[in-house]
Amino acid sequence: MAAPLVWLAVTGCRQDMHDQPRYEAQEESRFFEDRRASRPLPEGALARGFLRQDTKFYQGKDGDQMVKEFPLPVTAALLARGQERYNIYCSPCHGQTGDGNGMIPSRGAKHPPSYHLDRLREAPVGYFYDVITNGFGAMYDYSAQIQDPQDRWAIVAYIRVLQRSRYAPETDAPAEERNRLGPPPAKPVVPAATTGAAQ
Amino acid sequence: MPQIFHRSANIYSKASIVGGVLFAGLALTLILTISRSSYATQQNVNRDQPVPFSHAHHVGGMGLDCRYCHNSVEISSSANVPPTKTCMNCHSMVWNESPTLEPVRASFRTNESIAWTRVHDLPDYVYFNHSIHVNKGVGCQTCHGQVDRMALMAQHSPLTMEWCLDCHRQPERYVRKREDVFRMDYVPPSNQLELGKQLVAEYKIAKTENLTSCSTCHR
């Protein structure tokens, strides 16, 4: 009776199968000097078949000029993707409406400029792509966090949506939505608290 | 030939039969209990970290999406621990003189990794892939719990094989819509089973016999 238990006690502690002699992502390595099992890519390394020759798409530039047209079709799916990615990676600082009043600036970070400034409303789309890819001022680059260039373009497209949203004429909305909104208020809206007191 | 054992030895032999069975049962219970205890599974044990990073503050307080830092979770088997630069996106400006964050700044200056303590570590004979789980509607919260309320990270689930199989046998009890996967305030609807069955079909989640096949997780 005791023998199997002793056997279990002795052999049960071996973790060889748990910790096999292979690396998992981000594990510590005793072999490499920087102790990283996940090896950093040498600068300029490219995966075979992924040479990024299309500078309009991969850098947002045509020669020295920032591209003014999207280098990919802007579809509803791209905008939806852009909205999702924008809310993950950009809204913490730029705010969900793009006015630069995100949560992080409210805690002491530098306020990013609002997308609704004339300067940025007139900036070419390539400019936004370039800032995401290479950073600008206090903003570090997001090329590692937003790895897929298509996602960066999706975000740029969504920034254009945000910019449009502040200046969109009423006629932009489909008729049924316009009916739902009703006529524009003639006078400034009376604060809710005042109407409550009047009743 | 005289008897070797005295008559009273009979009681010992009878007792040892009963005792043996009881002892084996006790030993088995003990082994199974210990292997499921948090001592063995490290469930709900807070780990010390080189920097006391708080998910409660960053997710619950600041409202950051899981993917802001764990940006590979949708496309890779591992949900990456972010590089120091991700911390510095904000902490070059916010709390940028805090002594608590000195290891982060030091790591950024010297390009040496911060040696975070690993919290979730599956045995090497298990091949787990994050991307397929989040893309098929398994919420972060389902396995990792209310991370948005954890000051120091702890492993919410036991990560035992029976725990994995619980969901692989009946995924319809747990899956949610893709757009809800990263939500931390999600509460399963009252018609979870109905919704689950619909999502299992819609997301083409494999049949139970495939999900519970040995080679699905052990290859």
Side-chain angles (χ1 to χ4, degrees):
Chain A
M1 185 54 64
L5 279 182
V6 170
W7 178 79
L8 271 177
V10 173
T11 55
C13 296
R14 301 265 311 258
Q15 295 290 315
D16 296 3
M17 291 284 281
H18 274 72
D19 300 311
Q20 294 168 17
R22 65 172 168 82
Y23 290 133
E24 287 173 69
Q26 299 188 304
E27 244 180 10
E28 182 170 353
S29 160
R30 289 189 192 163
F31 179 77
F32 295 105
E33 205 174 343
D34 62 4
R35 296 184 299 152
R36 290 175 189 154
S38 300
R39 305 304 305 146
L41 289 178
E43 209 169 320
L46 283 174
R48 196 181 169 91
F50 286 84
L51 186 58
R52 297 183 160 188
Q53 278 176 312
D54 182 353
T55 60
K56 286 185 194 168
F57 184 73
Y58 288 109
Q59 296 174 21
K61 284 180 189 164
D62 190 6
D64 289 346
Q65 295 292 307
M66 301 289 184
V67 294
K68 295 193 171 67
E69 301 285 328
F70 283 93
L72 75 175
V74 177
T75 59
L78 189 82
L79 293 180
R81 176 81 179 169
Q83 180 179 34
E84 185 195 51
R85 298 289 121 176
Y86 177 88
N87 285 334
I88 298 170
Y89 296 110
C90 314
S91 70
C93 288
H94 289 277
Q96 297 213 332
T97 60
D99 55 7
N101 292 323
M103 189 53 128
I104 310 301
S106 78
R107 296 302 178 104
K110 204 176 158 215
H111 275 265
S114 163
Y115 293 135
H116 310 297
L117 298 175
D118 284 345
R119 172 172 74 82
L120 291 177
R121 280 162 48 77
E122 284 153 20
V125 288
Y127 172 77
F128 296 96
Y129 183 91
D130 180 65
V131 172
I132 296 172
T133 310
N134 300 313
F136 183 84
M139 173 179 156
Y140 288 5
D141 75 88
Y142 275 69
S143 56
Q145 273 161 289
I146 311 167
Q147 284 188 8
D148 187 346
Q150 183 157 329
D151 281 347
R152 297 179 206 162
W153 284 116
I155 290 171
V156 177
Y158 185 66
I159 291 173
R160 284 290 192 236
V161 171
L162 290 176
Q163 289 177 330
R164 174 98 185 174
S165 72
R166 291 251 167 139
Y167 294 86
E170 209 194 348
T171 47
D172 264 13
E176 58 184 87
E177 290 297 323
R178 244 180 296 160
N179 292 339
R180 225 160 53 91
L181 287 171
K187 289 178 206 167
V189 181
V190 183
T194 333
T195 47
Q199 286 166 356
Chain B
M1 188 173 142
Q3 282 187 323
I4 299 173
F5 296 108
H6 186 259
R7 185 183 285 273
S8 68
N10 285 346
I11 195 81
Y12 294 120
S13 74
K14 280 175 188 161
S16 68
I17 292 170
V18 179
V21 171
L22 283 180
F23 184 77
L26 184 75
L28 198 65
T29 314
L30 207 65
I31 290 169
L32 292 180
T33 312
I34 290 176
S35 65
R36 282 173 175 79
S37 70
S38 64
Y39 173 76
T41 64
Q42 297 286 297
Q43 186 181 11
N44 296 327
V45 177
N46 289 108
R47 313 291 170 86
D48 278 332
Q49 299 286 358
V51 182
F53 178 86
S54 164
H55 279 89
H57 170 70
H58 288 85
V59 183
M62 300 285 99
L64 290 181
D65 189 283
C66 310
R67 291 165 287 183
Y68 184 88
C69 302
H70 304 291
N71 55 289
S72 75
V73 68
E74 291 169 296
I75 50 169
S76 161
S77 61
S78 92
N80 61 312
V81 172
T84 303
K85 180 170 159 293
T86 303
C87 311
M88 294 301 283
N89 281 348
C90 298
H91 288 295
S92 61
M93 295 180 276
V94 188
W95 286 73
N96 54 355
E97 283 165 20
S98 154
T100 318
L101 296 188
E102 178 52 29
V104 177
R105 292 190 296 271
S107 162
F108 195 61
R109 277 196 307 270
T110 60
N111 202 25
E112 270 178 42
S113 302
I114 303 173
W116 298 103
T117 306
R118 189 165 186 179
V119 177
H120 298 80
D121 191 9
L122 287 174
D124 283 2
Y125 46 77
V126 180
Y127 288 77
F128 177 80
N129 189 316
H130 268 97
S131 65
I132 189 138
H133 287 86
V134 298
N135 285 314
K136 298 266 180 184
V138 180
C140 306
Q141 193 196 23
T142 306
C143 303
H144 294 290
Q146 289 306 135
V147 173
D148 59 330
R149 291 182 212 150
M150 293 182 190
L152 269 181
M153 191 65 194
Q155 176 188 314
H156 168 77
S157 305
L159 304 187
T160 54
M161 179 165 149
E162 70 178 337
W163 171 82
C164 296
L165 282 174
D166 182 44
C167 187
H168 275 216
R169 285 189 179 123
Q170 39 196 352
E172 64 275 6
R173 281 179 55 195
Y174 299 98
V175 290
R176 49 175 94 173
K177 289 184 180 161
R178 280 194 188 116
E179 58 263 36
D180 293 331
V181 164
F182 295 92
R183 273 178 58 188
M184 274 293 141
D185 56 352
Y186 183 81
V187 179
S190 51
N191 65 340
Q192 170 64 40
L193 271 185
E194 201 182 309
L195 173 76
K197 279 181 185 149
Q198 183 195 325
L199 293 177
V200 165
E202 190 183 330
Y203 297 161
K204 300 190 173 66
I205 295 176
K207 290 188 191 126
T208 302
E209 54 261 42
N210 294 336
L211 285 182
T212 54
S213 148
C214 306
S215 61
T216 298
C217 309
H218 308 292
R219 354 189 140 162

